[in-house]
């Protein structure tokens, strides 16, 4: 086997594939990428090509039966260990029960507005991804994405694309979500999505991403979305986010709780830290319910504010110990639930 190609073309392809390879892997073949009739260490190959000069020609040539491949470029020579391509897993095999097309903007929306809430807790592995499914809502079929870490929940939906009705509930792992987020950036053509109960395959032009799904049961998220929160609070989103950011400067690393004291069209944000002092700021808000003091993790509040598109944010509250709902406006396609903190 011998192949010669231009550095930029090789680097572009390696840039897509090397990110899905774990640097630490107990199964050596999974640290390699398939190339012609052999496999190569993905990160090593990427780093070599990345460091070659622009416009360089790269030659790859197998060296007999010794399990090695030589990479040549100009006066540079590298000898890399290979592994048999027959050991490389083939995720592309098998049937996909559902196939549909998604506009890049819709796919980006489903991911961007939910991925921040994916859990990092490995013991609850079923929360380590985005739950994707179709369902009936208000007489219409929607495609819905949900993520939660137990402290906050993000849910967004779009009109169900043709072919996506009846899609089974699947959990797309964080790694696949992250790569999809990068691949869809700047894309103009629709993305082909294929799903089964165990795998997802996305086609972005000439790039195909195939991933196993998380084998687990996503919790019944509908049970944690409050339906009876009757205290409506409307804030100007940017000033509110800036105020949260300012007062949280005084927070300790152990808990970034900010207290919101809401009454008579006024909100007082405050943080008290015995080790460093206190902070307080007032904002005018739209609120005419009974006075309420409630605390939230400042970072979580800011994450949600970053996802909202309008100039205002609508909060629906109940009491200091119950989950709060946040949206752009009533009936918005994106919805967020935030658990309060004691303050």
């Amino acid at each position: 086997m011998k192949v010669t190609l231009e550095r930029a073309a090789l680097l572009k392809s390696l840039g897509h594939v090397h990110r899905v390879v774990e640097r630490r892997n107990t199964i050596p073949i999974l640290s390699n990428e398939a190339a012609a009739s052999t496999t190569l260490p993905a990160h090593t190959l990427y780093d070599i090509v990345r460091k070659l000069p622009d416009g360089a020609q790269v030659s790859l040539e197998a060296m007999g039966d010794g399990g090695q491949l030589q990479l040549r470029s100009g006066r540079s020579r590298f000898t890399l260990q290979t592994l048999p391509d027959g050991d490389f897993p083939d995720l592309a095999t098998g049937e996909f029960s559902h196939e549909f097309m998604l506009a890049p903007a819709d796919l980006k929306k489903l991911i961007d507005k939910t991925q921040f809430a994916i859990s990092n807790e490995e013991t609850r592995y079923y929360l380590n991804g985005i739950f994707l499914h179709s369902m009936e809502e208000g007489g219409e079929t929607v495609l819905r994405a949900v993520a939660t870490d137990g402290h906050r929940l993000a849910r967004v939906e779009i009109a169900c694309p043709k072919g996506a009705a009846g899609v089974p509930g699947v959990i797309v792992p964080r790694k696949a979500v992250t790569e999809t987020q990068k691949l869809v950036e700047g894309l103009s053509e629709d993305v082909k999505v294929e799903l089964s109960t165990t795998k997802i395959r996305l086609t972005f032009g000439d790039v195909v991403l195939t991933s196993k799904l998380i084998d687990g049961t996503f919790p019944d998220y509908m049970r944690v979305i409050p339906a009876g929160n009757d205290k409506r609070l409307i804030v100007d989103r940017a000033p509110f986010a800036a105020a949260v950011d300012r007062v949280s400067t005084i927070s300790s690393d152990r808990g970034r709780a900010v207290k919101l004291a809401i009454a008579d069209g006024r909100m007082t944000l405050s943080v008290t830290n015995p080790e460093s002092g206190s902070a307080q700021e007032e904002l005018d808000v739209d609120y005419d319910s009974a006075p309420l003091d409630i605390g939230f993790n400042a970072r979580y509040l800011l994450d949600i504010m970053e996802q909202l598109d309008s100039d205002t944010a609508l909060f629906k509250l109940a009491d200091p110990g119950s989950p709060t709902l946040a949206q752009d406006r009533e009936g918005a396609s994106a919805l967020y639930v935030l658990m309060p903190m004691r303050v």
Side-chain angles (χ1 to χ4, degrees):
M1 181 198 78
K2 183 176 181 179
V3 60
T4 301
L5 63 166
E6 206 271 328
R7 169 191 176 270
L10 179 58
L11 186 63
K12 180 180 178 181
S13 297
L14 290 173
H16 291 312
V17 300
H18 91 283
R19 291 193 303 260
V20 304
V21 178
E22 297 289 350
R23 287 189 178 272
R24 296 180 180 179
N25 210 307
T26 56
I27 307 174
I29 190 67
L30 299 184
S31 295
N32 286 26
E33 81 175 83
S37 60
T38 188
T39 74
L40 298 168
H43 292 289
T44 302
L45 180 60
Y46 173 77
D47 286 340
I48 290 171
V49 176
R50 178 174 59 85
K51 294 174 182 178
L52 293 175
D54 291 341
Q57 293 291 307
V58 182
S59 173
L60 300 171
E61 183 174 1
M63 300 174 64
D65 300 324
Q68 294 181 325
L69 180 139
Q70 187 172 81
L71 184 154
R72 298 185 181 189
S73 182
R75 295 184 177 182
S76 300
R77 300 286 186 276
F78 299 88
T79 301
L80 303 177
Q81 290 297 131
T82 67
L83 290 172
D85 63 320
D87 294 345
F88 202 83
D90 185 5
L91 288 181
T93 58
E95 296 294 324
F96 290 89
S97 57
H98 291 79
E99 179 184 318
F100 54 94
M101 304 298 290
L102 267 182
D106 286 339
L107 181 55
K108 185 174 173 59
K109 178 180 179 180
L110 291 173
I111 291 177
D112 287 355
K113 294 190 177 299
T114 56
Q115 60 86 24
F116 73 93
I118 294 175
S119 174
N120 292 312
E121 189 179 338
E122 293 184 4
T123 55
R124 295 200 288 177
Y125 65 93
Y126 48 85
L127 298 182
N128 295 163
I130 291 178
F131 182 56
L132 189 68
H133 66 124
S134 66
M135 66 172 297
E136 293 292 323
E137 182 74 13
E140 297 182 354
T141 305
V142 297
L143 184 64
R144 181 175 285 178
V146 184
T148 182
D149 59 8
H151 303 288
R152 64 244 177 109
L153 179 144
R155 191 200 80 187
V156 65
E157 60 193 29
I158 61 171
C160 195
K162 182 180 179 182
V167 163
V170 299
I171 308 172
V172 184
R174 179 191 294 104
K175 190 87 169 181
V177 169
T178 302
E179 292 310 312
T180 298
Q181 199 170 27
K182 293 172 182 174
L183 289 168
V184 78
E185 199 66 43
L187 196 69
S188 57
E189 56 189 298
D190 286 357
V191 179
K192 181 180 178 182
V193 182
E194 297 168 274
L195 272 173
S196 71
T197 55
T198 59
K199 288 185 293 187
I200 184 171
R201 183 163 64 199
L202 301 104
T203 303
F204 309 82
D206 57 355
V207 179
V208 179
L209 172 65
T210 306
S211 171
K212 286 186 176 181
L213 299 168
I214 292 177
D215 183 13
T217 302
F218 201 79
D220 182 5
Y221 66 89
M222 294 295 291
R223 295 177 60 184
V224 303
I225 298 178
N229 289 17
D230 57 355
K231 297 180 175 66
R232 293 171 56 90
L233 166 68
I234 298 176
V235 302
D236 291 327
R237 183 177 63 84
F240 173 67
V244 170
D245 192 29
R246 279 191 290 269
V247 298
S248 67
T249 306
I250 210 76
S251 298
S252 68
D253 292 336
R254 291 188 299 275
R256 295 174 55 83
V258 56
K259 178 181 176 181
L260 310 182
I262 317 161
D264 302 325
R266 181 70 57 88
M267 173 193 291
T268 302
L269 302 89
S270 61
V271 171
T272 301
N273 183 350
E275 297 177 0
S276 56
S278 62
Q280 182 174 303
E281 187 163 340
E282 289 188 352
L283 291 174
D284 293 326
V285 298
D286 183 351
Y287 181 81
D288 57 10
S289 298
L292 176 67
D293 291 355
I294 190 169
F296 295 108
N297 181 298
R299 180 70 259 163
Y300 294 171
L301 272 177
L302 292 173
D303 283 343
I304 290 174
M305 291 303 101
E306 288 177 5
Q307 306 308 317
L308 301 182
D309 296 322
S310 66
D311 294 333
T312 59
L314 167 65
F315 290 90
K316 294 182 183 179
L317 307 111
D319 57 65
S322 299
T324 291
L325 191 149
Q327 294 175 278
D328 276 316
R329 61 191 180 282
E330 192 74 51
S333 61
L335 174 152
Y336 303 94
V337 179
L338 186 57
M339 296 300 296
M341 295 179 70
R342 286 189 178 185
V343 289

